[in-house]
Amino acid sequence: MTMKYPFVEDTLGKKLEAGTGMSVDCLTCRRHVVLDVAALVERLGPDQPCLHWDLVKVIFCHECHAAGRNDRNLQFTNHAATPDKRKGWIP
């Protein structure tokens, strides 16, 4: 993998290619989930934007949804690539 500059990670496909991760916190019930980026790419497609306002339209808290609470009160966190995923990056 060769890195292009400027580095942009605005879609799920680019996030998967870079080897970075993402997690989501529900601010209503305090649940925390590490998202499987590969599964999201398979489900939503590699061109799905991965900024907060794009993801909050397609991801919701199942527990809050079932309880009738606000299920879109979410906070997404990006995770840096681990050293084993950074092969080919310039140090």
Side-chain angles (χ1 to χ4, degrees), residues 26-39:
C26 177
L27 302 176
T28 303
C29 71
R30 306 286 188 218
R31 291 182 71 209
H32 173 81
V33 176
V34 176
L35 298 174
D36 183 353
V37 176

Side-chain angles (χ1 to χ4, degrees), residues 18-58:
T20 59
M22 180 181 283
S23 63
V24 62
D25 292 286
C26 177
L27 302 176
T28 303
C29 71
R30 306 286 188 218
R31 291 182 71 209
H32 173 81
V33 176
V34 176
L35 298 174
D36 183 353
V37 176
L40 286 174
V41 167
E42 188 175 306
R43 184 176 137 211
L44 302 173
D47 295 329
Q48 168 68 37
C50 63
L51 302 175
H52 174 83
W53 291 112
D54 301 312
L55 290 176
V56 81
K57 295 174 188 174
V58 294

